Amino acid sequence: MTVHPKLPSAPRKFQNLIGGSWGDSQGGEIVRLSPAHGVPVSVVPRGTAADVDKAVAAARRRFEGGGWAEIPAASRAAILRKAADLILQQKDELALIETLESGKPLWQSVNEVTGAADLWYYASGQAQAMHGETFNNLGHDSLGLVLREPIGVVGLITPWNFPFYILAERLPFILAAGCTVVMKPSEHTSSTTLMMGRILEQAGLPEGVVNIVTGYGDPVGQAIVNHMDIDMVSFTGSTRVGRSTVIASAANIKKVSLELGGKNPVVVTADADLDKAADGIVYGVLHNAGQCCVSGSRLIVHESVEKPLTERILELMGKVRVGDPLVPENRVGAIVNETQMTRILGLIDQGKSQGGKLVTGGARMEPRAGYFVEPTLFTGVTRDMTIAREEVFGPVLGISTFRSTADAIRMANDTEYGLAATIWSSDLRKSMDLMRGIRAGRMWINTTITGGPEMPIGGYKQSGLGRETGPSGIDEYTEVKSVIVDLGARQPWVI
Ligand code: NDP
């Protein structure tokens, strides 16, 4: 592989942000190597449980001491808007480090950073739109007030697949609500979260509102989910850690919001436009090298069009350029780390040994400096196979066939997950029946993996709890206080 001029000659060093001060950790440092190039690109603190304690104390002080939840929403909104402006000004710098740490194509990182700014602008509007209700119908002597208040100190744990974008789906809404926060990004992709801390400082955010502790899930993530002085945890990642977060939340009954895994079905009816569907299906499974919680990894196609659709998918998978994320023509970059790549290759092996027919791909790609996996297609996938049930989180598509719409709905729902689903169909009735029958939090009809700040996101079943973004994205981070005001002469209770 030729060395790209955008590769840094030395890794960039970052510090944590606690109570308005930037600093290292007693725990040491973590050096991140680019998964596409194998060179060191960043160094972040290896945080400890003691760092989390300090960060929670700072967030609590700010939440209770004033200066954030109590200020006019217009002032909070102005800071969020300024932060969005600064994101756009620093777009190229943010996108480059995102690509160097995650392995995703640079053009894609630029789109994600721009999309993130959009979320910050949208959430700034929600700060001012947030309001309660009144009940003026309780009788002449009573008035009912319903107040929305910030929930308090939020612990925010984010993953490595869309580090800056997933942060933007949550953090500005948390801040708009008036909460303070302690965040832990994935140890693989911490830099853009730390850069966001600096941006918020430049935008005028009071110290202690946002605190960032980088490090490993154990101990930093665990210290957050177990912390008795955190009121809510927002976690995005694996269902395994999501489940342990729910269990840990019992200690102080903290609220939990979760966006977890998916095994997302893509249903193609006999009448679908197969050219459009094939392109959408290839995008849906290869976007971000398949490391996407809403990735369309289970293709359920009407048996009458399986052959022509498979041929089209094969042709497109053969054309997609996979490789160095700094080369603009490449659509698919690297897998985030060796563990994930080994996991994907292991699941591909299980697909083969359990009777799936490997039609293309299935192996690690050269050059070996980075972790690249070939676009992979299996046909003849049945419900009992591991690749039909487990989230692969890689560029691997499995095809099964159906006969009736009822069959397709049953097959689509035959999973413990319910995050997303896609339908390709020209028949309005069939697509509506499928849409109503499939149990998933996000759905697309004749398109896939698109959206924007206006749309709520979240999962059914074991894919999650709660909803982020959209008109009520801020509600997740609030408590509701119900107040009755008696205006009349009180009737004595004691007689
Ligand atoms: P994890 O769930 O382990 O990682 C997500 C986040 O949780 C990271 O910040 C991680 O930190 C942190 N974390 C890890 N362990 C704990 C813990 N015990 N308590 C609190 N926080 C913790 O995902 P993996 O990176 O291990 O990926 C495994 C699989 O999870 C993937 O193959 C994929 O199937 C799924 N996944 C789903 C995502 C989604 O968007 N829904 C995103 C990422 C993964 P650290 O990185 O330091 O371990």
Side-chain angles (χ1 to χ4, degrees):
M1 184 184 285
T2 50
V3 176
H4 197 281
K6 283 189 186 315
L7 277 176
S9 51
R12 183 162 166 183
K13 185 169 161 31
F14 291 90
Q15 290 183 312
N16 279 335
L17 175 61
I18 300 177
S21 302
W22 294 90
D24 299 328
S25 172
Q26 295 279 327
E29 291 180 332
I30 299 172
V31 179
R32 175 64 176 159
L33 304 187
S34 161
H37 311 93
V39 301
V41 289
S42 56
V43 180
V44 299
R46 180 177 176 167
T48 62
D51 294 328
V52 172
D53 280 341
K54 281 188 214 140
V56 174
R60 176 62 60 193
R61 263 195 314 279
R62 173 56 72 186
F63 184 69
E64 285 173 7
W68 187 240
E70 296 77 10
I71 65 172
S75 307
R76 280 202 298 278
I79 290 171
L80 301 187
R81 272 197 307 278
K82 176 79 181 154
D85 293 343
L86 291 167
I87 289 172
L88 291 179
Q89 281 169 25
Q90 298 173 30
K91 181 177 71 184
D92 293 335
E93 196 187 345
L94 286 159
L96 179 59
I97 191 90
E98 190 85 324
T99 281
L100 293 176
E101 286 187 340
S102 70
K104 67 177 70 197
L106 186 55
W107 59 265
Q108 186 188 322
S109 293
V110 171
N111 289 346
E112 286 170 17
V113 171
T114 311
D118 221 10
L119 281 152
W120 281 84
Y121 284 122
Y122 181 82
S124 74
Q126 286 207 343
Q128 286 179 273
M130 184 170 112
H131 64 278
E133 286 176 298
T134 58
F135 285 86
N136 198 27
N137 57 354
L138 304 180
H140 188 62
D141 291 338
S142 258
L143 182 64
L145 307 175
V146 181
L147 276 60
R148 274 206 178 269
E149 298 184 338
I151 195 161
V153 176
V154 177
L156 177 59
I157 300 175
T158 49
W160 42 260
N161 52 347
F162 296 94
F164 197 68
Y165 193 81
I166 286 179
L167 182 70
E169 286 175 337
R170 286 143 183 86
L171 181 58
F173 297 88
I174 293 171
L175 299 179
C179 298
T180 59
V181 60
V182 176
M183 319 196 282
K184 188 205 96 67
S186 163
E187 99 262 3
H188 305 298
T189 54
S190 300
S191 298
T192 52
T193 299
L194 292 162
M195 287 167 77
M196 193 65 228
R198 187 68 80 186
I199 285 174
L200 284 164
E201 208 175 53
Q202 291 164 354
L205 189 79
E207 60 183 43
V209 175
V210 161
N211 305 275
I212 311 169
V213 182
T214 55
Y216 292 102
D218 177 12
V220 178
Q222 278 185 17
I224 290 175
V225 300
N226 289 325
H227 210 288
M228 297 300 279
D229 208 20
I230 285 186
D231 301 292
M232 173 173 175
V233 166
S234 170
F235 172 83
T236 307
S238 63
T239 298
R240 180 184 65 81
V241 179
R243 191 169 283 117
S244 68
T245 302
V246 173
I247 292 166
S249 71
N252 67 333
I253 318 287
K254 57 172 75 68
K255 183 174 173 181
V256 175
S257 100
L258 304 171
E259 191 178 333
L260 308 174
K263 191 69 199 173
N264 309 297
V266 179
V267 179
V268 181
T269 62
D271 47 74
D273 178 328
L274 297 186
D275 288 327
K276 283 195 182 138
D279 186 72
I281 290 162
V282 170
Y283 162 66
V285 73
L286 298 188
H287 178 55
N288 214 42
Q291 303 166 112
C292 192
C293 53
V294 293
S295 176
S297 55
R298 281 192 299 144
L299 177 55
I300 301 168
V301 54
H302 191 269
E303 57 181 10
S304 65
V305 291
E306 184 198 9
K307 194 160 176 283
L309 183 66
T310 307
E311 280 164 7
R312 283 170 171 82
I313 291 172
L314 260 176
E315 190 193 332
L316 295 179
M317 276 190 167
K319 271 194 204 164
V320 173
R321 291 189 54 165
V322 184
D324 186 344
L326 296 173
V327 172
E329 292 74 27
N330 288 334
R331 305 301 274 169
V332 181
I335 302 300
V336 73
N337 57 36
E338 191 169 8
T339 310
Q340 286 294 322
M341 184 185 69
T342 307
R343 186 171 175 273
I344 295 165
L345 295 173
L347 284 162
I348 291 172
D349 281 345
Q350 285 193 51
K352 287 191 278 190
S353 65
Q354 291 172 357
K357 185 174 171 216
L358 181 67
V359 186
T360 190
R364 182 178 182 177
M365 290 175 71
E366 300 292 345
R368 297 222 169 221
Y371 309 122
F372 296 91
V373 173
E374 295 173 339
T376 299
L377 181 64
F378 278 97
T379 55
V381 173
T382 53
R383 65 180 300 277
D384 45 300
M385 292 179 190
T386 311
I387 51 163
R389 310 210 73 78
E390 269 193 35
E391 183 175 49
V392 177
F393 234 57
V396 182
L397 180 66
I399 306 187
S400 322
T401 59
F402 73 92
R403 286 192 177 153
S404 68
T405 304
D407 271 352
I409 293 172
R410 188 183 42 72
M411 290 164 76
N413 286 335
D414 186 15
T415 167
E416 67 199 27
Y417 296 115
L419 194 59
T422 300
I423 297 158
W424 296 92
S425 177
S426 302
D427 183 316
L428 183 62
R429 177 75 222 198
K430 272 187 211 153
S431 50
M432 291 300 106
D433 286 348
L434 285 160
M435 183 270 286
R436 287 178 169 145
I438 296 173
R439 289 176 53 74
R442 295 177 75 181
M443 294 192 66
W444 294 280
I445 300 175
N446 293 330
T447 183
T448 199
I449 316 190
T450 59
E454 298 82 1
M455 301 295 285
I457 57 170
Y460 284 33
K461 302 199 271 183
Q462 293 186 36
S463 287
L465 279 179
R467 292 293 179 272
E468 311 279 351
T469 71
S472 55
I474 195 170
D475 291 354
E476 196 67 34
Y477 300 100
T478 62
E479 288 278 23
V480 171
K481 183 177 278 175
S482 164
V483 184
I484 302 273
V485 184
D486 195 313
L487 305 165
R490 180 171 166 75
Q491 294 297 318
W493 180 74
V494 181
I495 48 173

